[in-house]
Amino acid sequence: MQKRANYVRALGALFALWGADYPAAYEEARAGAIEGLSVPAVPSAPVRRRLENEVLTLGSLAATLPVESLYKPWASASGGDGGEPAQFGAARNLLLGDSAQHMRVLYDGLELDVPPAYEAMPDHVALLTEVACLYAEAGNGEAVRDLVADHLDWLDAYEEALAARLAALEARPLPGAQHHDELAAALAHGCELAGALTRAIHDLSQSLR
Amino acid sequence: MQEKEALMRCNPTRRTFLKGTAATAALAAVGTCSVTAWQAERAEAAGAKTQGASLCNGCSSKCGLVATTLDGRLWTVEGMEAHPYSKGTLCGRGHGTAQWAYSDGRLTQPMKRAEDGSFAPISWDDAFAEIGAKVQEILAEAGPEALAIVQDPRPSGKYYSKRFMNALGSANVYTHAAACNLSKESGIQEATGASNYSVDFPNTKMVVFIGRSYGDGIRPSSVKSLAGAADKGARVVIVDPRLNNTGIFATDWVPIKPGTDIALLLGIANVLVANDLYDHEFVEQFTVGFPEFAAQVAEYTPAWAEGVCDVPADTIVELAEALAAAAPACAIEPSWRAAFGCAYQNSFETARVVCAVNALLGCWGQKGGALITSSPKVGDVDPAKFPEVPKPTAKRVGDAEFPLALSGTGTNLAVLNGCNDGTVQGVFFYNSNAVQGYAQPAKWREALAKAKLVVTIDVQMSETALASDYVLPECTVLERMELPEFIGGKKHYVALRTPVIDRVHPETKSCDEIFVGLAEACGVGQYFPFTVEELADAQLATVGTSLDAVREAGIVELADPGFQFGTPAFKTPTEKFQFTSAKVAEAGLNPVIGYVPRLVEPAAGEFSLIGGKQGIHSHTMTLNLEALNAISREYQLERLWMAASDAAELGIADGDTVELSSSEASGRVAVKVTERLKPGVLFLPTHYGSTSPYLTRAQGFGLNMMDFIPLHLEPAVGSTMSQEVAVTVRKVED
């Protein structure tokens, strides 16, 4: 379980912003790869830069973030204490939804602090996979199973969102050919990463049955 | 970059992100709190529910709202009962924009454009420093008059943007008005001395709307007032080529040829004068220039008007007689952007004619008529704490060429022209998508590309942001505090925008924080040694209240201004209602209120193109919001309206795709075939056709009307003439 959870964590970490240090993150992921699962190729520096600046950064050109709240209804029906439901509870593509609130509860219980850069997205995949790994390190397979079931069940939708971004880009090419090509490669690489992570999570789940 | 550094600091050796040691016992504990269990538990628990009052930013009305939060998250918003614009109701835009704080489409950190046109994050410190250096360079080379700011006024924005620009020595402060209500307000100003008025709906017997539609926005209170008047039996006349969504309250729809409202109104004036139906007492005691006006209006018979505006002469006579019978409890409604805010070569003059008809009816200040009310005046604040900024010595760019533009707004298109001729080299935009909405986008982009510095402050990557060198992210409406908003009318109020939720993205800043940062970077920080709270409190003290009081209640009624029905004081140079204006004469136009034709006449086979708002959107600002965009798509609101008879003639069916073309652009869009439109006219909603790839929901959905409009400015006023165009349309067969 631990090795598989480590690989999931290492893949999740590739969705964080590493800047020039990104090769080491890939190296770690590749070193921990599970046999039979795909291993993401290391992208070129320009492609990785586009991925970080223009895909994995909120408000950027092709922003498509691996944040759970964006792919699920924002709030459950009840407002607590028998109160009225959230006015836009069914909406998606909003940050700090129920998944983020639940993760905060878990972080509090585990005495973990979310860094300021993730204040608006405590349910970012880099954090979710790290918690899964921490549970695995503690030998708590049930908690890993619950976390995967509750919080890592949306990566198909994320991969589809990246693919849709890529299709939209190809339909409306950017004026600069180099920029366009690098961003297209970055989105394709994002799809590759999401696919690899989905498969690694599936593999981890299977191992826990 | 800051984000990256923060991440890297977490624990670079272990490549982990979460801080803390992780409680081993908790990690190992059997079972966890699943989402389902947590949701069930929360449903039973009493969460930390709080309520806070603030002001909406779904449009420029700034209606009062009450936000309820649960455990710090926004849960519901509703209209504030005590606010005169909301009266307990928040419109669709208000509900939609409330979601902005959590939207995935907003800017979260400063951005800088690279040489290849792409944008990358930059720290606030670096952005301020680089902008400051560029401003100093422009000041040294071209002087302060080469700097300008364009803003769509908001409570803090209108204060800080003007103070910032004036502190730099520039008078070049402009609002969005040249693409909104500049012509209408400037025209009303010349006739009455006030830039606007209201209709006394509770007492009115008859009201005539020229193109404006309360049913398509803006204020809930406007709709309630009109509904009340309609319930009491008032005659409500809609003059519009399109049967708009105010039709539900209307008794009459008068379909008219676009850009010719002035002829209809002059025809009505002709009947009132020729048939001696006008208010002699008002005209003789309170006006100047009536003899010249009466002589001129004699030409504008109903028959003449019918030939121009295509409204039957009999209808014109009947409307004039009905208005005279209802007078003084009647009025021509003042409108806003609609048909003569900025639409045609004759928009300024149309506004003056509207006022003239009201003058003939003697309805100024009367029960049921046209009311000019006052606004609260903020007194002087302590100059030691809030230092006075020296008045710029150079005149505002554009004022000489467009002397009739309202002084409080100017014409922002002078900035476009100034960039083209090198007069303006540094431009700031606050809460303004000028590129997409104020004139032809291609012309704006071309002009801004010539500037040495373009900075946009916004919550999203608008088309204007895309044409900028730096983009500075403001926090969204419910996350920020602003200066007090003073509200005039029969009663006076002050209301406040206050944060009701914590900032979702810590790297965003409020308007005051951004302008103070810019001022310090540009070397004029000495004019901003105060916080927004301190200034708000000082301003509020001058009107007899305090920040705490307004913050607590959301809105406070101020001292009774003593409104009384009766002829108002006309604050014109002559202190009377002006049928003639010396200022208009000095601008080289006919000083006597009269006729001006529209500029572009559609030829055979061509159509007039008119635009208009939809109740769920505010221009281009709200298009990318998930909920509002979804409504647009669900109901295909982007469609081009075409009269059924025209569609039949061209073989076009409802839902067909057509190609719309003008001298400037072509584009494809689906058609809505309708009986609610005058033949020969096409209606295009003015919100759509975003080109910003950052606005993924909005991009490529529908057409942007401004793409089709030639760049030409209304003489002496400088409005964008947003409907001076002739277009063709053809069915797309493939």
Side-chain angles (χ1 to χ4, degrees), chain B residues 640-664:
Chain B
L640 176 77
W641 288 33
M642 174 178 266
S645 58
D646 288 333
E649 197 170 308
L650 293 171
I652 293 169
D654 191 56
D656 279 353
T657 298
V658 296
E659 184 170 79
L660 181 71
S661 301
S662 76
S663 58
E664 311 301 308

Side-chain angles (χ1 to χ4, degrees), chain B residues 295-316:
Chain B
Q296 198 167 270
V297 88
E299 297 174 34
Y300 307 129
T301 63
W304 168 85
E306 178 180 341
V308 177
C309 70
D310 207 22
V311 174
D314 288 349
T315 301
I316 297 171

